[in-house]
Amino acid sequence: MAKIIDGKAISQQIKDELKSYVEENDLGKKLCLAVVQAGEDPASKVYVNNKKKACEYIGIGSQSFELPEDTTQDELLSLIDRLNEDETVTGILVQLPLPGQIDEDTVIRRISPKKDVDGFHPMNVGALSIGEKGFVSCTPAGIIELLKRSDIEIEGKECVVVGRSNIVGKPMSMLMLRENATVTICHSRTRKLPEVCKRADILIVAIGKPKFIDHTYIKDGAVVIDVGIHRMENGKLCGDVDYEDVAPLCSAITPVPGGVGPMTIAMLMSNCVQADC
Ligand code: GUN
């Protein structure tokens, strides 16, 4: 039987550790996350609210900036400039996606790399790829924590990452490489995808297609990490992995919900605690 990796419990453990760390080091008044949302995307509103609640839970400050849908790029950039300058703000997060008139890359580049708790700025992405210190994108960082805290060895293992996004696939590959795995990155044009995935001791799936990965992609005893989250017609959530079909073959697997999802906010809080100006 596959071990079910409990992301909810592990994320709670991390938040509790951070809460104690903030208390013991009297950081509560020194740290403040500024969360910026432009527009009315309902999913973004939920995420932003959860981020503010998490700040409150671990005992650090937060400020939120809710901008209208028709905000111009210049208006958003001047808010970022102001937050970059503000010494009481130690972390800045601009919730994505942004309204169509605003270029996300320009916005991400404007955030000071020292306050970029999402780890999206090219300086932080570059630091990760050359093994220097910097903020690491939260979802991939959370997956490393899930593996380590579940006593799953990474060093020397064959790791296949399906998906090459800047937020998950690419940083995930860099982190697994840093942990001394042998890493293959796959994407929509990869030939013989099931065959390549079947090589994996650790398979990490972030392709954004519901239940795409079935048992034909899985090596016996593999660890499977599912980054996807989709709402099905029956209202239930599923991942990129067909859990029922795949779980019997795995040594360990993340469920959806309750696997990777809760780790993103826990790692955001970890980045916020490490931020100081
Ligand atoms: N939208 C969906 N996920 C994220 C995230 O991790 N950070 C930001 N800024 N926006 C998102």
Side-chain angles (χ1 to χ4, degrees):
M1 267 299 278
K3 172 190 164 83
I4 299 169
I5 300 174
D6 188 346
K8 213 170 153 195
I10 296 173
S11 73
Q12 188 59 47
Q13 191 182 39
I14 292 170
K15 283 189 285 185
D16 286 336
E17 288 167 13
L18 292 170
K19 187 179 162 80
S20 308
Y21 182 82
V22 167
E23 235 168 62
E24 280 158 21
N25 294 282
D26 201 17
L27 293 173
K29 294 234 158 50
K30 293 190 193 123
L31 297 172
C32 179
L33 172 65
V35 184
V36 181
Q37 190 193 347
E40 299 293 325
D41 182 57
S44 289
K45 281 198 169 171
V46 175
Y47 292 139
V48 163
N49 216 13
N50 288 342
K51 288 168 188 180
K52 287 191 289 191
K53 274 199 238 158
C55 288
E56 202 175 311
Y57 183 80
I58 70 159
I60 66 172
S62 72
Q63 283 182 38
S64 66
F65 298 85
E66 283 154 33
L67 308 178
E69 186 76 35
D70 61 357
T71 301
T72 65
Q73 181 162 306
D74 282 347
E75 283 166 338
L76 179 52
L77 293 176
S78 36
L79 172 60
I80 293 171
D81 289 344
R82 191 148 62 77
L83 297 172
N84 282 339
E85 293 289 309
D86 186 340
E87 283 178 11
T88 65
V89 170
T90 48
I92 301 171
L93 181 148
V94 178
Q95 188 66 26
L96 304 178
L98 290 167
Q101 70 279 14
I102 302 176
D103 180 54
E104 287 183 358
D105 284 341
T106 306
V107 169
I108 289 168
R109 280 167 194 271
R110 193 70 158 244
I111 299 170
S112 162
K114 284 187 181 156
K115 298 189 180 186
D116 167 41
V117 286
D118 258 329
F120 294 168
H121 191 286
M123 283 273 284
N124 284 317
V125 175
L128 172 62
S129 73
I130 59 171
E132 282 185 3
K133 265 184 75 173
F135 290 116
V136 177
S137 182
C138 302
T139 301
I143 291 170
I144 297 290
E145 282 298 312
L146 278 183
L147 293 169
K148 289 188 171 172
R149 290 172 186 248
S150 305
D151 294 321
I152 293 165
E153 210 187 341
I154 303 174
E155 183 162 318
K157 296 286 179 67
E158 284 281 348
C159 173
V160 176
V161 179
V162 190
R164 55 175 160 178
S165 69
N166 290 339
I167 292 178
V168 182
K170 283 182 201 153
M172 189 72 245
S173 309
M174 285 298 159
L175 285 173
M176 292 303 275
L177 197 57
R178 194 163 88 176
E179 298 294 332
N180 300 314
T182 302
V183 182
T184 305
I185 311 177
C186 302
H187 46 79
S188 54
R189 313 272 170 89
T190 299
R191 296 206 186 131
K192 299 186 178 168
L193 185 61
E195 232 169 78
V196 180
C197 290
K198 246 185 148 133
R199 293 207 301 254
D201 300 311
I202 302 173
L203 179 66
I204 301 173
V205 189
I207 42 171
K209 293 183 185 161
K211 296 194 180 188
F212 183 84
I213 299 288
D214 66 14
H215 71 276
T216 62
Y217 291 69
I218 308 295
K219 176 162 89 175
D220 225 350
V223 173
V224 175
I225 306 292
D226 188 352
V227 183
I229 187 153
H230 313 275
R231 175 109 24 215
M232 292 184 289
E233 276 178 5
N234 65 8
K236 289 195 174 159
L237 295 170
C238 75
D240 291 348
V241 175
D242 184 343
Y243 184 92
E244 272 75 34
D245 193 51
V246 163
L249 283 173
C250 302
S251 59
I253 185 166
T254 57
V256 177
V260 172
M263 295 301 291
T264 302
I265 287 193
M267 299 317 289
L268 175 68
M269 291 304 108
S270 169
N271 280 350
C272 287
V273 167
Q274 283 163 48
D276 53 46
C277 285

